[in-house]
Amino acid sequence: MCVFDHPQLITASFPCSRSTSGSATSATAMADVNIDELRAKFEAAGQGHVFAFFESLTPEEQALLIAQLLAIDPDRVNRIHTNAMAASHIDASATTIEPLPADVYLDAEHADPAQLAEFRAIGMQAIQDGKVGVLLMAGGQGTRLGSSEPKGCYDIGLPSGKSLFQLQAERLHKLQTLAGGSLPWYVMVSGPTRAATVAFFESHDFFGLDRKNVHFFAQGTLPALTDDGKIYLASKGVVAEAPDGNGGVYAALETAGILKHMKDNGVEYIHAYCVDNCLVKVADPVFLGFNIARGADVGAKTVHKVDPDEPVGVVCLRNGKYGVVEYSEIPKDVAEQRKPDGTLSLSSANIANHFYTRAFLEKVKELEDQLQYHVAHKKIAHVDLTTGEVIKPEKPNGVKMELFIFDVFPFCDKFAVFEGVRKDEFSPLKNKDGPDSPATSRRDILDQHRRFLTAAGAIVVGDDGVEISPLVSYGGEGLEEYKGKTLTGPMHLEPEVPAAAEEKKDVVEEAKVEA
């Protein structure tokens, strides 16, 4: 396991936070910092007020504030704010929205099977050659699910009781076995989820993966600002901050040293996805091969949108460039437009499932001044700079800025879109009940596994479902042994463990107990 928390810094254990504690630690943190230079830097950017209470803080509180300020570039914050506020005043009605051109798009459901097999072979070869890395965006909590844990820890109620993290880790494990290669897994966490995520992986022995191939790094943050761009203090010694959106992954990859790690280890292609899709085909070799064959810098996997009112964004041409338009931004008459065959014109539903070349990701840092961060007007608790009292506003009093992961699409030279089959690709976990809930996620996985087993000649009985461990089958392959067998749910099909291995496992477990 590696944890990336600072450029060029890899530590074997996960720091509890950015902060330090204790007088010795505080003294060490302050020793190498020229506070006058740091203060001057913020004053030159018009943000010197962050030092308003500095002299009244304890040495420990001063060290915490300095550590936080060292991670903030006030000039960058000012640029992002200026560009974001300007973009927020652009007339949305002037935006043109058009369907994707046919030459960038492939509908997998109606594609030539031989062509898909060729893409799969290309993807498997890239994995075998060690050229593929997997990027998981796992910064979200399960708050809307009634859980304070990271969303990836959530158990959707399968017969096995496996979490989303475990399902995805086992798919990764199986694919490595099938391809004969190694897949480094880069897991982006957030402040609230970082410690719990690492602890969850450790408590489950990294789900059988080589822990040296699992790399955690933190999502970035940006200061919360007044409408005119001044940094808020959450307390006298703490800057108010908020996550910079899932598009903040691009800056985090650079600042945390992930891109360097990829380069040093020969990773050329990256599959990126969000943790809350229980059906995600981790490092899907067909999707990888499709993009590699087309020479794409960036690729998007989509599913077919059939209802114009479905609350999902679409991949399309936005003002003549590749991008995503959120469903709330699409005029009703445009959303309802249909092709001659009756399908929606804007039908490529965005599921946050992407392909990148490392070369493209390395260029993104040069694009930041062109990227348009999005402004969210929020109620921000803050310290009154005159009285030092904490103010909790009753209405929005400032802005938080975020970048969306698809905001880089307009800047790629070669873009490709692969439309997968929804029932095999996409079942998001968003709500505690109703649509996109644990119940629908569980249903969709068990329905998929029923299809796999039926295709292999098995008979599945009952409504409780037969679950196939990803260690048995990544995508429906290798199920011949169940031909002609009747399987009654609830059931979990697991790989057979050789007796010697099982005996060794028991010995290890006994040793742990004795220790």
Side-chain angles (χ1 to χ4, degrees), residues 176-189:
Q176 289 179 145
T177 301
L178 292 171
S182 178
L183 284 161
W185 201 12
Y186 303 99
V187 183
M188 186 177 78
V189 295

Side-chain angles (χ1 to χ4, degrees), residues 161-206:
K162 292 177 181 178
S163 65
L164 293 173
F165 279 142
Q166 183 167 355
L167 291 171
Q168 293 162 22
E170 291 185 354
R171 287 172 194 153
L172 201 65
H173 192 291
K174 181 63 173 180
L175 189 56
Q176 289 179 145
T177 301
L178 292 171
S182 178
L183 284 161
W185 201 12
Y186 303 99
V187 183
M188 186 177 78
V189 295
S190 63
T193 66
R194 53 192 292 173
T197 298
V198 176
F200 191 76
F201 272 71
E202 290 177 337
S203 68
H204 290 81
D205 198 23
F206 286 72

Side-chain angles (χ1 to χ4, degrees), residues 440-495:
T440 59
S441 293
R442 178 172 60 254
R443 176 203 68 199
D444 291 344
I445 283 187
L446 294 177
D447 283 353
Q448 181 191 58
H449 291 185
R450 180 186 290 268
R451 293 193 299 274
F452 287 166
L453 289 164
T454 300
I459 301 169
V460 179
V461 178
D463 297 326
D464 294 327
V466 176
E467 177 188 357
I468 306 169
S469 167
L471 298 176
V472 171
S473 179
Y474 173 85
E477 79 294 331
L479 300 174
E480 295 80 7
E481 66 178 282
Y482 298 103
K483 183 176 181 179
K485 293 184 178 181
T486 298
L487 306 172
T488 303
M491 180 183 292
H492 177 218
L493 302 180
E494 300 180 82

